[in-house]
Amino acid sequence: MITASDFIPLTPELFLLGAACVLLLVDLFISDARRGLTHFLGLLTLLATAALVLRDGIAGEAVTAFGGMFIRDGVADVLKVFMLIVTGAAFVYAKPYLQDRGLFKGEFYVLCLFAVLGMMVLVSAGNLLSLYMGLELLALSSYALVAIDRDNKLATEAAMKYFVLGSLASGMLLYGMSMLYGATGSLDIATIQAALGSVGDNRGILLLGVVFLVVGIAFKFGAAPFHMWLPDVYQGAPTAVTAFIGSAPKLAAFGMAYRLLEGAVGDVSEWRHMLAWLAVLSLAVGNVVAIAQTNLKRMLAYSTISHVGFLFLGLAAGTEQGYAAAMFYAICYAIMSVGAFASIMLLARKGFEAEEISDFRGLNQRHPWFAFLILLLMGSLAGFPPLFGFWAKLTVLEAAVGADMLWLALVAVVFAVIGAFYYLRVIRTMYFDAPEDSNNQPLNPDPQLRWLLTVNGLAMLVLGIFWSPIMQWCLRATGA
């Protein structure tokens, strides 16, 4: 029976839903000249939602609602806070880019807010139905965002690929869920886990369901060999959209994997071995293919695949330490990724996208401060000490070693060294190549973008020194 108390844990989600609907209506009466109000209201909505999440502090004991369909715990709260922070950063970075291309419309903000709502429901799901509902709200909003530039053939093609392959992934995930239901007789995640020991003759059905769950999770992460959609979508979508879908949804994907793998089938050890081999494939494909890329967005897309491989190291460990390390890595990657795509928007201007690595030639000679900020972001993505990304890689490597997967940690280290090459190429282009006439124009970025990119870049250094509090937050959330 549903009571009024069931709605209390959902206060942030209910507020975000109401605010997004109000913003959709208000935007109808705002002229293009006053579209900045939509931008402001979007940021205000994210800030207020974050305040509601943090109102009672990070949840310790899990609180459930609607018969266990919704869970509020430490993992959900931590992920939600960083989702909202990263989405707010994506809003600030996107504004000048969208204005220059005639895309500064309310639809961008409304779709992003609904995508965030889907992410929040996804990471708090206590039932396979609520999990799938959050996943599809995120996915459908993301498809529309990629296609927001309707006159761009590349964006339209990317959206179609994203829709078709995303639907395929959702179908596989649904099939896996149906197998779990067939083996255990329940859609409730906690009930599924409790029933694992008594499946008896249905163990074959259970394992088949786990296989399809892992495949669906790998699709949503963009792990190899299920990565075919990711480079085309990242390149084809407007960079402002890529900055959003390439950062915050990775936090939601971790939340989905945590609920399904740890919450539902945590006692089935076979999925750990599957994730370990998916990690190896992702590290190999992502790092090797990224070396051949000249388009920076495609390079970052393939680097995302390699980062998913590192994140899978923590998940494959199957321990509380491993889950905490994987969550820490997802947070770190989301912050680095949104800054990396903001670097492209920094140099972009009307009629010039700045997507090629060659567009960054001689940036240090023209704007040494911006070159330094991009150096920090690329160095952190590569995992150079003492930057933030180094500690993220170190924690998942420690988790893998602690779970007796030394071989997997060694493979990851080897490919991390290989992967450093393409990040160093961007740095070399900025510092040692002469600027071309086509990109030798003065930069006059939006003040908000300039200041936030400064904070984002310096955060790689500051968080690299003071990374421990975030890791402790993740450890407490997972109960490690």
Side-chain angles (χ1 to χ4, degrees):
M1 180 178 177
I2 298 175
T3 63
S5 61
D6 283 320
F7 292 93
I8 296 176
L10 277 83
T11 304
E13 286 77 10
L14 293 173
F15 170 80
L16 181 57
L17 173 62
C21 292
V22 170
L23 183 61
L24 179 62
L25 293 174
V26 170
D27 185 70
L28 293 173
F29 303 97
I30 296 177
S31 64
D32 289 342
R34 301 182 61 188
R35 195 69 64 188
L37 179 60
T38 303
H39 173 77
F40 172 76
L41 291 176
L43 288 173
L44 186 62
T45 298
L46 293 174
L47 179 63
T49 306
L52 288 173
V53 173
L54 292 169
R55 180 182 55 182
D56 302 320
I58 296 301
E61 294 291 328
V63 179
T64 60
F66 296 99
M69 293 190 71
F70 185 91
I71 300 174
R72 184 189 174 190
D73 58 6
V75 171
D77 282 358
V78 171
L79 291 175
K80 288 174 187 178
V81 168
F82 283 100
M83 283 174 194
L84 295 164
I85 291 172
V86 172
T87 303
F91 279 7
V92 174
Y93 288 141
K95 181 183 175 184
Y97 181 91
L98 297 173
Q99 285 176 324
D100 287 345
R101 287 150 187 81
L103 300 175
F104 191 46
K105 305 291 184 182
E107 290 88 338
F108 172 80
Y109 294 93
V110 173
L111 286 170
C112 284
L113 291 178
F114 277 116
V116 173
L117 177 62
M119 294 183 223
M120 294 176 70
V121 171
L122 179 58
V123 301
S124 285
N127 187 287
L128 298 183
L129 289 178
S130 54
L131 185 144
Y132 188 73
M133 181 178 66
L135 176 64
E136 286 307 293
L137 181 56
L138 166 61
L140 292 172
S141 300
S142 299
Y143 303 152
L145 280 169
V146 174
I148 198 168
D149 188 2
R150 294 175 296 177
D151 298 327
N152 187 322
K153 292 183 179 179
L154 197 61
T156 305
E157 179 186 350
M160 286 299 298
K161 289 180 180 178
Y162 196 13
F163 174 74
V164 172
L165 294 174
S167 300
L168 177 63
S170 296
M172 290 186 174
L173 202 60
L174 273 179
Y175 190 74
M177 291 177 180
S178 69
M179 292 297 102
L180 288 189
Y181 177 75
T184 63
S186 177
L187 293 172
D188 183 76
I189 289 175
T191 305
I192 290 172
Q193 187 179 49
L196 291 179
S198 58
V199 292
D201 295 337
N202 290 330
R203 183 166 176 80
I205 297 175
L206 174 67
L207 292 178
L208 182 62
V210 171
V211 169
F212 276 93
L213 285 184
V214 172
V215 170
I217 290 170
F219 253 111
K220 293 302 181 181
F221 267 109
F226 310 105
H227 65 282
M228 64 287 293
W229 62 271
L230 199 143
D232 290 338
V233 171
Y234 276 31
Q235 182 183 7
T239 308
V241 173
T242 307
F244 172 71
I245 65 173
S247 53
K250 293 297 182 286
L251 296 167
F254 167 80
M256 177 180 70
Y258 179 79
R259 297 298 178 198
L260 288 174
L261 300 179
E262 192 278 337
V265 295
D267 295 333
V268 181
S269 61
E270 283 80 359
W271 63 262
R272 294 179 56 202
H273 305 296
M274 294 178 63
L275 281 187
W277 286 108
L278 286 172
V280 172
L281 285 172
S282 300
L283 288 165
V285 172
N287 285 308
V288 173
V289 180
I291 293 174
Q293 305 304 311
T294 57
N295 183 283
L296 185 55
K297 287 170 74 174
R298 288 189 74 87
M299 189 204 84
L300 290 173
Y302 280 104
S303 80
T304 297
I305 300 168
S306 71
H307 285 288
V308 169
F310 266 100
L311 195 150
F312 277 7
L313 260 68
L315 289 174
T319 62
E320 292 176 342
Q321 179 78 26
Y323 296 132
M327 182 162 67
F328 179 67
Y329 198 98
I331 291 169
C332 176
Y333 175 74
I335 297 172
M336 294 187 298
S337 179
V338 74
F341 287 108
S343 302
I344 300 175
M345 289 186 277
L346 172 74
L347 269 65
R349 56 185 182 273
K350 190 172 183 179
F352 179 66
E353 292 298 327
E355 293 182 3
E356 299 297 321
I357 295 176
S358 59
D359 294 330
F360 287 74
R361 286 178 176 170
L363 181 62
N364 181 60
Q365 300 177 30
R366 297 180 290 135
H367 301 280
W369 179 245
F370 292 140
F372 175 67
L373 295 175
I374 298 172
L375 179 149
L376 291 176
L377 289 164
M378 293 298 161
S380 185
L381 284 165
F384 297 153
L387 300 176
F388 195 25
F390 169 76
W391 300 107
K393 284 183 167 61
L394 185 63
T395 54
V396 293
L397 289 172
E398 287 179 344
V401 172
D404 296 325
M405 290 183 170
L406 178 61
W407 67 273
L408 185 57
L410 292 175
V411 169
V413 170
V414 170
F415 280 112
V417 173
I418 295 173
F421 173 81
Y422 50 84
Y423 295 116
L424 287 172
R425 183 172 61 183
V426 176
I427 296 172
R428 185 211 66 192
T429 300
M430 293 190 301
Y431 280 85
F432 298 105
D433 289 359
E436 294 180 347
D437 292 338
S438 59
N439 59 9
N440 198 21
Q441 297 189 18
L443 285 179
N444 187 26
D446 181 84
Q448 292 182 16
L449 187 154
R450 181 172 64 247
W451 285 109
L452 184 58
L453 185 61
T454 298
V455 172
N456 203 163
L458 292 178
M460 298 300 99
L461 185 58
V462 175
L463 293 177
I465 299 172
F466 303 103
W467 62 277
S468 183
I470 298 178
M471 185 60 192
Q472 292 300 319
W473 207 5
C474 295
L475 288 169
R476 287 196 300 272
T478 58

